[in-house]
């Protein structure tokens, strides 16, 4: 019977710098820095364990266009491990690891087939005699805005046709709109499987044929929350199955905690601490953002930075062990030191300030200088509505905090 099994992963972002966390203990930082490599090892382990016919890596294998020697060496070693088990790899490069970067080039072993910059077909016959046609292309440069999907077409006779594409599903505004496509365009190609990459959130766009964004293999920042991993795919005549498997070594997560019943700092601390201990998972590192809801004003009579104190206390306590839970931020529903109404009643100035910030709603053109900057814009993703609102909220709190200091 015609049958093929393979692993589909994407967006490995090897050697991602994992910057942006303050006061991270060295051991946790190095664990985090290592995590993209651990995820790669887990993909390879899974491939060997399941004796798959091949592995597909759908772009952004490396985090930066100047692929570090470390990232290349580690990838090469893992690819060799697959080679020793007779497992080939079909890979494309995406917008992060496009072919226009400058890097000291390390050759990959012969089992690794990298697609060229035009959509091309590669042919593979599995051990059980199933004929597979794989189609894909690698990014020649960072910004590929063309609809490369139009260049994909079924060629010749095969048992299974598989498309590999690093690009953006139309309508998604959180990622660069590279090599865009619609679901209809993919389905019209009449392929048996679409191995997508680019969007870091796991998404199944179609069940039959399966069209899958596996998401990235390890979260790289606070926005990339939850378990990350790859898919194990089995295609048979009349049956297509796919199954997610996790590879992330560190998890970014956010938790909400209702503290309406809590009295005083000590109790607040203990309440958060017990939630943190409940989150702890064996051998998994967790990076946690805690959000307090219903924090009572009387819990914070004098000190203004109770949230900072709480954060420090929780961090202080965290042992540097394999199953860590590192709280990187504590936020609260209310900046509990002042409330708008009282302030607005005190002086017209505050009334006017809150009215203005309420009307703002949009950031207007205030960020244009940054987002239109020729260098900076390459590295920026557009802000989400939620992020814009948070910036306005933050600016408002910052302003009032400064004014109250005087
Ligand atoms: Mn990516």
């Amino acid at each position: 019977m015609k049958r093929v099994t393979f692993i589909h992963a994407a967006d490995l972002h090897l050697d991602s710098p994992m910057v942006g966390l303050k006061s991270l203990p060295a051991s946790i930082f190095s664990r985090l820095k290592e995590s993209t490599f651990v995820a790669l090892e887990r993909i390879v382990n899974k491939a060997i364990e399941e004796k798959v016919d091949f592995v597909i890596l759908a772009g952004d294998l490396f985090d930066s266009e100047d692929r570090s020697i470390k990232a290349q060496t580690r990838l090469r070693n893992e690819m060799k491990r697959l080679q020793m088990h007779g497992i080939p790899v079909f890979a494309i490069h995406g917008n992060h690891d496009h072919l226009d970067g400058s890097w000291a080039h390390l050759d990959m072993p012969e089992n690794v087939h990298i697609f060229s910059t035009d959509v091309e077909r590669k042919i593979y016959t599995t051990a059980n005699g199933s004929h597979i046609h794989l189609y894909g292309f690698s990014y020649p440069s960072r910004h590929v805005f063309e609809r490369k999907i139009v260049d994909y077409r079924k060629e010749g006779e095969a048992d299974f046709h598989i498309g590999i594409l690093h690009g953006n599903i139309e309508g998604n505004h959180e990622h660069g709109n590279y090599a865009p496509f619609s679901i209809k365009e993919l389905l019209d190609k009449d392929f048996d499987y679409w191995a997508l990459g680019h969007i870091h959130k796991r998404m199944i766009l179609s069940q039959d044929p399966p069209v899958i964004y596996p998401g990235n293999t390890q979260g790289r920042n606070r926005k990339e929350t939850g378990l990350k991993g790859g898919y194990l795919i089995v295609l048979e005549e009349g049956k297509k199955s796919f199954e997610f498997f996790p590879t992330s070594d560190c998890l970014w997560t956010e938790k909400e905690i209702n503290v309406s019943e809590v009295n005083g700092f000590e109790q607040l601390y203990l309440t958060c601490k017990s939630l943190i201990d409940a989150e702890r998972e064996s051998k998994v590192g967790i990076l946690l953002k805690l959000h307090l809801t219903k924090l009572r004003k009387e819990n914070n009579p004098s000190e203004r930075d109770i949230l900072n104190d709480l954060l420090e206390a929780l961090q202080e306590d965290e042992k540097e062990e394999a199953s860590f839970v590192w709280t990187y931020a504590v936020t609260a529903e209310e900046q509990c030191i002042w409330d708008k109404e009282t302030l607005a009643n005190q002086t017209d100035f505050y009334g006017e300030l809150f009215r203005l910030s309420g009307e703002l709603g949009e950031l207007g053109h205030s960020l244009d200088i940054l987002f239109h900057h020729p260098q900076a814009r390459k590295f920026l993703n557009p802000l989400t509505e939620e992020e814009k609102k948070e910036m306005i909220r933050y600016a408002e709190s910052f302003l009032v905090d400064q004014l109250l200091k005087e």
Side-chain angles (χ1 to χ4, degrees):
M1 185 169 64
K2 302 302 180 194
R3 183 177 199 266
V4 61
T5 69
F6 60 95
I7 278 175
H8 167 204
D11 298 277
L12 287 79
H13 287 263
L14 294 174
D15 213 10
S16 196
M18 304 283 181
V19 289
L21 289 182
K22 278 186 249 162
S23 56
L24 202 60
S27 66
I28 294 180
F29 183 56
S30 58
R31 175 90 177 270
L32 199 55
K33 285 268 290 178
E34 183 66 14
S35 60
T36 53
F37 297 114
V38 172
L40 168 64
E41 278 171 36
R42 290 180 180 168
I43 290 167
V44 170
N45 292 347
K46 181 79 172 173
I48 293 170
E49 219 173 274
E50 301 284 345
K51 301 187 171 67
V52 296
D53 294 305
F54 51 82
V55 171
I56 292 176
L57 301 177
D60 284 3
L61 280 62
F62 301 103
D63 188 63
S64 80
E65 56 186 30
D66 306 324
R67 318 162 176 198
S68 68
I69 286 291
K70 181 182 173 190
Q72 290 187 70
T73 312
R74 299 285 289 269
L75 180 66
R76 182 159 76 173
N77 290 345
E78 290 304 311
M79 297 300 100
K80 278 184 183 162
R81 209 147 67 82
L82 288 173
Q83 188 181 33
M84 274 157 46
H85 287 83
I87 299 174
V89 178
F90 294 93
I92 59 175
H93 289 299
N95 53 307
H96 270 262
D97 56 352
H98 62 84
L99 301 173
D100 196 27
S102 57
W103 67 89
H105 192 91
L106 282 189
D107 284 333
M108 287 295 142
E110 279 179 358
N111 61 323
V112 180
H113 307 281
I114 295 179
F115 287 80
S116 70
T117 53
D118 290 314
V119 176
E120 66 166 326
R121 177 187 63 167
K122 291 192 188 289
I123 296 176
Y124 183 71
T125 304
T126 66
N128 69 11
S130 299
H131 298 288
I132 319 292
H133 287 182
L134 299 105
Y135 309 80
F137 80 97
S138 290
Y139 279 47
S141 57
R142 186 176 183 95
H143 305 290
V144 173
F145 295 114
E146 301 100 286
R147 307 188 69 84
K148 297 292 280 192
I149 181 64
V150 300
D151 298 337
Y152 286 74
R153 61 186 62 86
K154 252 183 174 176
E155 276 176 52
E157 284 300 310
D159 297 310
F160 301 103
H161 297 265
I162 297 174
I164 312 174
L165 173 58
H166 191 89
N168 196 44
I169 173 89
E170 268 169 350
N172 184 303
H173 301 300
E174 299 201 355
H175 292 74
N177 199 27
Y178 299 131
F181 56 85
S182 67
I183 296 182
K184 183 175 184 304
E185 277 173 306
L186 299 187
L187 297 179
D188 283 350
K189 302 289 172 182
D190 195 27
F191 284 7
D192 298 287
Y193 185 82
W194 275 100
L196 303 177
H198 184 47
I199 294 184
H200 289 186
K201 191 175 184 301
R202 194 156 83 231
M203 286 197 279
I204 293 163
L205 301 184
S206 157
Q207 300 274 343
D208 191 10
V211 177
I212 295 179
Y213 276 115
N216 51 349
T217 50
Q218 164 63 52
R220 298 172 309 145
N221 56 53
R222 59 192 68 192
K223 286 186 196 166
E224 299 179 350
T225 54
L227 276 182
K228 299 285 183 179
Y231 276 86
L232 174 68
I233 318 291
V234 182
L235 304 180
E236 285 172 356
E237 278 163 295
K239 187 178 158 230
K240 288 161 185 156
S241 70
F242 48 88
E243 182 189 295
F244 173 76
F245 63 93
T247 55
S248 41
D249 191 44
C250 298
L251 268 184
W252 294 83
T253 186
E254 291 182 15
K255 285 283 153 187
E256 224 175 72
I257 180 165
N258 183 326
V259 291
S260 60
E261 302 296 316
V262 168
N263 278 314
F265 186 82
E266 180 68 14
Q267 226 186 57
L268 188 60
Y269 165 75
L270 291 173
T271 307
C272 294
K273 186 75 186 135
S274 67
L275 176 134
I276 285 173
D277 286 330
E279 283 298 304
R280 211 173 290 281
E281 275 183 52
S282 158
K283 292 185 185 147
V284 177
I286 293 178
L287 296 135
L288 175 72
K289 177 177 173 180
L290 260 189
H291 184 68
L292 312 181
T293 61
K294 312 247 183 317
L295 179 65
R296 278 153 52 184
K297 250 178 127 187
E298 58 268 32
N299 270 332
N300 190 19
S302 55
E303 281 178 69
R304 296 264 301 287
D305 47 4
I306 186 174
L307 298 181
N308 243 332
D309 290 350
L310 183 61
L311 180 63
E312 269 181 29
L314 293 170
Q315 290 183 341
E316 195 57 48
D317 239 28
E318 191 54 40
K319 290 178 223 73
E320 301 184 10
E321 55 188 43
S323 313
F324 68 83
V325 181
W326 179 257
T327 310
Y328 67 83
V330 181
T331 57
E333 203 169 37
E334 292 276 312
Q335 273 294 339
C336 39
I337 189 67
W338 44 266
D339 72 284
K340 285 188 184 181
E341 208 175 326
T342 320
L343 281 180
N345 288 337
Q346 268 170 22
T347 65
D348 288 347
F349 175 78
Y350 285 111
E352 182 74 359
L353 174 71
F354 296 136
R355 193 185 57 74
L356 259 177
S357 78
E359 277 175 6
L360 209 54
E362 255 297 319
L363 289 165
H365 296 293
S366 45
L367 291 175
D368 283 0
I369 197 161
L370 180 64
F371 278 85
H372 294 172
H373 187 278
Q375 246 90 51
R377 68 171 183 202
K378 291 188 207 159
F379 302 99
L380 295 171
N381 288 322
L383 294 169
T384 64
E385 284 311 306
E386 193 43 48
E387 283 169 332
K388 288 180 189 166
K389 282 187 194 141
E390 201 173 315
M391 284 175 92
I392 293 170
R393 272 202 299 272
Y394 179 82
E396 186 184 86
S397 304
F398 178 78
L399 207 52
V400 177
D401 282 343
Q402 295 300 311
L403 286 164
L404 287 174
K405 261 188 191 164
E406 297 309 313

